[in-house]
Amino acid sequence: MKRKSYICMILVLLLGVLTSCQPEEQNNVQPPPEVETDTVLIEAVASDSIETGRMTKLREFSVDLDLDNIEESIELYTAAQRNENGEMMWDDGQNWVLTVCDGDKSYPLLSQYVQLGVVHFMVSNSGTEQMPDITVLLPTDSSFRMMSYAFDKEKGGYIEKLIYESKDDNWLYSSIPGY
């Protein structure tokens, strides 16, 4: 049942993103204030230096992110464990890790404690020679963040860009299931 809720939540978020991308004259909605787009370079570390052994792998997706004709693996972990029936035993918060594995090296895109929230990721490709993007959604009980990650060949790492972050919001309502 929780899996269906998470799938519904992702679909609702995608629908919201897609409908908000219409031209302004069609939806008459003012664009959000500009977000400071400070970028962060995430460099490779040894794969065995990222501690995921005691974590639960929730998702894994393989795709060629750096256009070297070799697929990298995107892996999402949480510190929450499964019970004997395979159901997740969520706490009020847990540590999360999102990493890109590329042979013997990994890129820790996200490694943090999330209070009353979850982490989701999507991978998009424009269909051109442009690098694929990883979009991360991080909704919690009191905030929402959206980040984008793309490989930069010149810098040899992933560039993190903050797309949106709610600040000091007191949510009155959210259609995201569970929030």
Side-chain angles (χ1 to χ4, degrees):
M1 187 66 177
K2 288 185 179 189
R3 184 177 176 156
K4 288 181 183 179
S5 295
Y6 289 125
I7 292 171
C8 287
M9 179 173 41
I10 290 173
L11 291 175
V12 167
L13 288 171
L14 286 174
L15 181 61
V17 169
L18 292 175
T19 57
S20 68
C21 292
Q22 296 178 3
E24 284 185 35
E25 53 271 5
Q26 286 184 3
N27 61 15
N28 292 327
V29 175
Q30 296 296 321
E34 287 295 317
V35 175
E36 292 181 25
T37 56
D38 292 333
T39 59
V40 176
L41 176 65
I42 300 168
E43 298 178 306
V45 298
S47 290
D48 59 1
S49 70
I50 299 176
E51 185 58 44
T52 57
R54 295 183 142 188
M55 300 183 91
T56 302
K57 186 187 292 186
L58 295 177
R59 300 280 184 268
E60 180 175 7
F61 182 72
S62 294
V63 64
D64 185 8
L65 291 165
D66 56 10
L67 302 180
D68 65 353
N69 295 319
I70 300 171
E71 289 187 344
E72 289 74 39
S73 176
I74 307 164
E75 299 175 355
L76 178 64
Y77 295 87
T78 183
Q81 300 294 309
R82 295 185 187 275
N83 66 16
E84 60 275 354
N85 296 327
E87 299 167 337
M88 292 302 298
M89 298 185 301
W90 298 110
D91 200 353
D92 287 347
Q94 40 270 321
N95 288 313
W96 291 80
V97 172
L98 178 67
T99 185
V100 173
C101 302
D102 188 1
D104 60 349
K105 60 187 176 190
S106 292
Y107 299 85
L109 302 184
L110 181 111
S111 180
Q112 72 180 71
Y113 181 81
V114 177
Q115 180 75 33
L116 298 173
V118 295
V119 175
H120 298 284
F121 74 93
M122 298 172 280
V123 181
S124 60
N125 188 349
S126 65
T128 66
E129 290 298 315
Q130 187 177 16
M131 299 287 188
D133 280 342
I134 301 169
T135 303
V136 174
L137 305 174
L138 207 158
T140 69
D141 230 18
S142 61
S143 68
F144 182 84
R145 280 191 315 157
M146 182 183 291
M147 292 87 62
S148 172
Y149 300 88
F151 189 77
D152 186 315
K153 283 188 178 188
E154 290 178 13
K155 295 182 180 176
Y158 284 82
I159 302 295
E160 174 190 274
K161 292 182 185 175
L162 179 63
I163 298 171
Y164 175 79
E165 181 175 24
S166 63
K167 294 183 180 180
D168 301 323
D169 286 343
N170 186 7
W171 296 100
L172 298 176
Y173 174 77
S174 172
S175 67
I176 299 171
Y179 292 93

